[in-house]
Amino acid sequence: MTPPFAQPHTMFLVLVSPAGRYSIWPAELQVPAGWQVVHGVASRLSCEDFVNRADVPLAA
């Protein structure tokens, strides 16, 4: 089985953690518990633009 992040993805979400960290997440995967969708379903570029406009750090 191929790990989920090794697969090519075309649509994404922007998630925010309870600690306020943002993550660009493949739309096909289940949103982790405690995280909220704040943008998407959208292209990766759209999600990157959203995060850049929000001027927030991405989760590592």
Side-chain angles (χ1 to χ4, degrees):
M1 178 179 193
T2 305
F5 284 99
Q7 300 173 16
H9 299 282
T10 58
M11 299 305 289
F12 295 86
L13 305 167
V14 177
L15 308 180
V16 66
S17 74
R21 300 290 294 201
Y22 284 65
S23 180
I24 296 174
W25 191 259
E28 302 87 28
L29 300 181
Q30 183 174 344
V31 174
W35 289 70
Q36 293 184 318
V37 176
V38 293
H39 179 76
V41 171
S43 69
R44 182 171 185 90
L45 181 59
S46 174
C47 291
E48 289 171 357
D49 288 344
F50 177 86
V51 172
N52 289 335
R53 281 193 313 274
D55 195 29
V56 294
L58 283 172

